[in-house]
Amino acid sequence: MVEPASVIMADMDPDTITHTEPMVDEEEPLFSNLDLFLFSLIVGLVIYWFMSRQKPEPIPEFKKLDTPAPTSRETSFIEKMKKTGKNIIVFYGSQTGTAEEFANRLSKDAQRYGMKGMAADPEEYNMGELSRLSEIENSLAIFCMATYGEGDPTDNAQDLYDWLQENDDEELSGLNYTVFALGNKTYEHYNAMGKYVDKRLEELGAKRLFDLGLGDDDGNLEEDFVSWREQFWPAICEHFGVEASGDESSIRQYELKVHTDLNMNKVYMGEIGRLKSFEVQKPPFDSKNPFLAPVTINRRLNKAGDRHLMHLELDITGSKIRYESGDHVAVFPTNDSGLVNRLGEVLGVDLDMVISLNNLDEESNKKHPFPCPTTYRTALTHYLDITNPPRTNVLYELAQYASDPKEQENMRKMASSSPEGKALYQSWVLDSCRNILAILEDMPSLKPPVDHMCELLPRLQARYYSIASSSKVHPNSIHICAVVVEYKTKTGRVNKGVATNWLKNKLVNGHKSTVPMYIRKSQFRLPFKATNPVVMIGPGTGIAPFMGFIQERGWLKQQGKEVGETVLYFGCRYKNEDYIYQEELEEAENNKVLTQLNVAFSRDQEHKVYVQHLLKNNKEHLWKLIHSDNAHLYVCGDASHMAKDVQTAFHEIAEEVGGMTRTQATDYIKKLMTKGRYSQDVWS
């Protein structure tokens, strides 16, 4: 449940209200109307003269920029499709860029099958026009919809979701559609958004031309998409009576322009949105205009061991950024300079060449794949994902640049939907964690033009961290708790997590010690009533949001508020190695802010002990808090194992202490989730 912002009401004191009693006798007024008018005029002039002498308002702390008037953007996708002769539109709901990437691939596919497609962000268009799509012959709307968080739409699909919910009278009988959903089976609401769009469009009378596709990122999302797509296009060609030519040639979406004499002030150097936005910061700050927050603290949390757990503090003083406990901070990392330089060497390219990649479709809202003009170095450092294994479409498009027939054949095979090809892609690319550089190094004959490679690589995405502080206690600071990712691959290479290694190297008061960031609001909130007990379960870095919760409950106690029980279940490997925030937690327990601190040290004894085991040990107390005292439960951390095991533990507690059957227990916990009393902030 989201706590509403406090509203301060200025109530008038009844004692200050004067009541005019009626006069018994009519008398001549002391002042005439003219006297009163002149008196009011004089008082008004005196006040005006006094006010005009006051000092002017202080200049705002951010420089006001002269921004050009925004160019008018076409919001009618129907008119755009008619103007450009397109008959297929692919809408995407994307949080991390994958759904957008799939939408672009499908719109490019259309051309291979003798049709014309366009990818579209639903946020940019009037979705009420879906009913008009039948005006275009052989038209089809494809929806690539990712699910975010606890079954929610992605940020850019929120308007579409609201429109579908609110328009019961919409008549979409002339609309042909299909949906491909992107999700993760480890989450409770698997592919909820895609399933909803598919079902809702049918309810409004639209015609489904091909079955809903379900992509599972916990398995192999790429394989799910390719398998669905291989069956989808022949079915669409058959429906429209189109020859399934399936032209296999490479289709470029952007053309390269090299700038030789461009003023460097007009070249993007890593800005996400507005040019020079990192030099002149201007609120409000969001995903397109991040704030450069200085790093004031960067310390290692664990006392020993091979891993590096870290606590960072970002200074947001003067930014006007507001956050609440439970929100996420998004940061924009950069790729390792060593990787970027090595890519330049392998491809034999001048990384400091200033270039633009311009969309060949002049009517497209997306003029460039990333901010242009820029340099190859900036693109590979700030804008492109060069560390994740490339998807099959990248291998397919780049295969033509391999001069060795065997290498070219293998690349095409891995991009195919044949069982042999899928198995090769799984083992050689995914299981071996080969990024684009590793593929180029292990296929020496592969020498793609760097501009085509840059066109195909996905955008480098922001990384999200649960905020480990409370704004009540730290209004000008945002705390991050993270573990540095580093591992050896099957090929013997060492792969490093982009964001965590970048954060690790953010030296306090050092060069480049700022972090581009913004806040993403969350539904992970403390109960509105402070008297409600809270039970927090967060092993490892899953403790992050609970540090904020504990700070906030402590602050409430200091304000003299009555605060309910505050119970924490934390887990780590060894007490003397990675018991992070030990001092803070024990102090909170001593101060009675934490009424119960339960810590599972999984490897300090022969048999493994995890948080779910401690929950079962305290089942009577937990059941009382949940069933009788209206407690709110919070789980943060690993979705694939921990979150499931914790949920199972609560099912068993409901059975063993609450006397329920397994079905009743499952329904009981689901109802807690529906009511906002069982919240999860989990990742896979």
Side-chain angles (χ1 to χ4, degrees), residues 10 12 80 95 97 108 112 197 205 304 311 357 365 395 397 416 426 467 531 538 559 595 644 664:
M12 193 175 281
K80 181 168 278 192
Q95 197 72 32
K108 205 185 256 193
R112 292 196 169 104
V197 171
H311 171 90
L357 287 180
N365 283 355
L395 301 182
E397 296 267 354
S416 75
Q426 181 69 44
I467 295 175
T531 50
Q559 303 302 304
T595 48
K644 284 181 177 174
Q664 288 171 329

Side-chain angles (χ1 to χ4, degrees), residues 1 630 632 669-678:
M1 181 175 170
N630 206 32
H632 286 234
I669 298 300
K670 275 195 172 165
K671 275 180 188 165
L672 289 181
M673 290 177 172
T674 307
K675 290 176 182 173
R677 283 183 52 207
Y678 190 126

Side-chain angles (χ1 to χ4, degrees), residues 3 311-314 316 321-327 466-480 519 521 524-526 536 543-559 581 593:
E3 184 171 338
H311 171 90
L312 287 95
E313 297 186 11
L314 310 181
I316 55 168
I321 287 173
R322 300 285 175 265
Y323 75 95
E324 291 182 67
S325 303
D327 282 343
S466 303
I467 295 175
S469 53
S470 164
S471 59
K472 299 285 193 295
V473 181
H474 299 283
N476 293 317
S477 180
I478 284 173
H479 301 182
I480 293 174
I519 298 299
K521 293 295 175 188
F524 202 71
R525 289 278 184 267
L526 279 168
M536 305 169 287
I543 196 173
F546 304 137
M547 294 306 295
F549 282 12
I550 292 164
Q551 289 171 15
E552 190 142 328
R553 301 279 272 191
W555 179 84
L556 287 166
K557 278 177 82 79
Q558 285 178 350
Q559 303 302 304
Y581 298 116
V593 173

Side-chain angles (χ1 to χ4, degrees), residues 77 154 179 199 213 282 432 444 461 478 574 587 593 597 603 665:
F77 63 84
T154 57
V179 178
K199 176 169 161 283
K282 179 189 169 194
S432 301
Q461 298 295 324
I478 284 173
Y574 305 100
E587 185 186 347
V593 173
L597 173 60
R603 302 182 189 184

Side-chain angles (χ1 to χ4, degrees), residues 349-361:
V349 65
D350 174 9
L351 291 174
D352 297 312
M353 184 187 296
V354 180
I355 56 108
S356 289
L357 287 180
N358 300 323
N359 203 320
L360 291 164
D361 178 1

